[in-house]
Amino acid sequence: MEKREGMFPRNTRQIGEPGQGTRVFIEDYAYTYLRQLAENELTGMKTAVLLGHRNASGIYIQGALEADMGQEREKWFSNENWSEIFRNVQAWFDGMEVLGWYLSNPGFPVTLTEEWKSLHRRHFPGQETVFFLTDILENEESFFRQEECGLVPLSGYYIYYEKNEQMQEYISHQHGGFSIEPEGVLKDRAAARFGSAMQEKKAKYWQRRLMAVLYTACTFLVMVILVIGVTMINNYDRMTSMESALYRISESLDEENGEDMEQAAQEGNRLAVEEADEAEDLQVEETLSEAVTSQAEEEQNEEAVVVDENVEEADAGMKEMVAPEYYQVQAGDTLLGICRVKYGGDERLEEICKLNGLDDSDKIYVGQTIVLP
């Protein structure tokens, strides 16, 4: 490859969005060899060492050297491994430097683990080294670049196309004299592959987003249904409680009305009894009054009869003797005084009392008319 400081190589195709910082370029033959290395081993891991050059424009990977280190990762990149790697570098890629390493890990996510970080830190400690991780089953791949803070994932890289005779000779040796068709024969293959992978990632991303939205919506709907159900249950409980309260109030009102009616009946009976008693008392009083009146009338009638009898007797006596003399009692008169004035003594006092029907000679009153013999 012709070295041009600070300039991109010819026939370069961008994969993804490389962004800022040191760019990573991989030659099409080296990229094709790494993919075939992974496709030939779908049940286990494959490792390779990445070789090439650095300049101001970026990191250029021109060669990929298989490093068969087995499946025991604690023995990877041992002294024996490095001795074999350096012998092959001198034989096939003389003049290139080690830029990093490649790992095919089929069936596992293309993400950094502490184990990969530790391996890279111990065996590729320099700045601007790279780690290329792929999952051939899911058609996923990612470049990581070593910086001061550690390995950093890159969102894109470049594939460039050139003759690359060293890589062609190594591939022919690995395949028993047969060469391979580089990815650059179909200019859009790598880009289409990466684009397809990005589309799949985007589709998966949006599918996950849609599932998250649906899950959130379903959760919200379930919460709404639960809230409505709880509200309905609470309202039903409240209605039941209200119905019970109304029933109790109705019973209480009925009891109070019954008590009021009973009290009213008792009060009416009491008033009726009192009225009957008052009527009876009034009737008794009227009867007593009538009896007293009758008795008084009888007494008056009796007195009148006695007076009449006395008068009749006096009349009879007068008829026998002389006509009677009448005297009207004056203030200060006594029957004894009248008798003494009229007859000169008190001999006829008893006669006067008898004639006038008087039991007591002292019981006379002013204006009274008395009969004198």
Side-chain angles (χ1 to χ4, degrees), residues 13-27:
R13 184 171 296 275
Q14 178 177 313
I15 309 299
E17 298 291 336
Q20 302 297 322
T22 304
R23 296 177 175 86
V24 174
F25 301 83
I26 182 169
E27 202 279 319

Side-chain angles (χ1 to χ4, degrees), residues 199-213:
Q199 289 295 329
E200 290 180 2
K201 287 184 178 179
K202 289 181 180 180
K204 290 181 180 179
Y205 170 77
W206 286 111
Q207 185 178 7
R208 289 195 296 268
R209 288 289 301 274
L210 179 60
M211 292 299 293
V213 171

Side-chain angles (χ1 to χ4, degrees), residues 333-339 349-350 352-354 357-365 368 370:
D333 286 345
T334 63
L335 194 59
L336 180 61
I338 294 171
C339 182
L349 178 63
E350 183 176 354
I352 294 172
C353 288
K354 183 177 179 183
L358 298 175
D359 294 332
D360 189 352
S361 60
D362 294 329
K363 289 184 177 180
I364 59 174
Y365 53 89
Q368 183 181 359
I370 59 175

Side-chain angles (χ1 to χ4, degrees), residues 26-64:
I26 182 169
E27 202 279 319
D28 188 38
Y29 276 101
Y31 180 81
T32 303
Y33 174 71
L34 291 174
R35 286 194 60 84
Q36 290 190 352
L37 190 67
E39 290 171 355
N40 293 333
E41 182 58 72
L42 299 178
T43 60
M45 291 180 288
K46 280 291 186 179
T47 56
V49 176
L50 305 178
L51 307 166
H53 304 278
R54 297 184 184 89
N55 61 32
S57 60
I59 301 171
Y60 292 85
I61 301 171
Q62 293 174 272

Side-chain angles (χ1 to χ4, degrees), residues 144-162:
F144 300 88
R145 184 178 63 228
Q146 179 68 31
E147 297 182 0
E148 292 182 1
C149 60
L151 287 172
V152 176
L154 303 180
S155 57
Y157 60 94
Y158 299 91
I159 294 178
Y160 69 95
Y161 309 94
E162 66 177 11

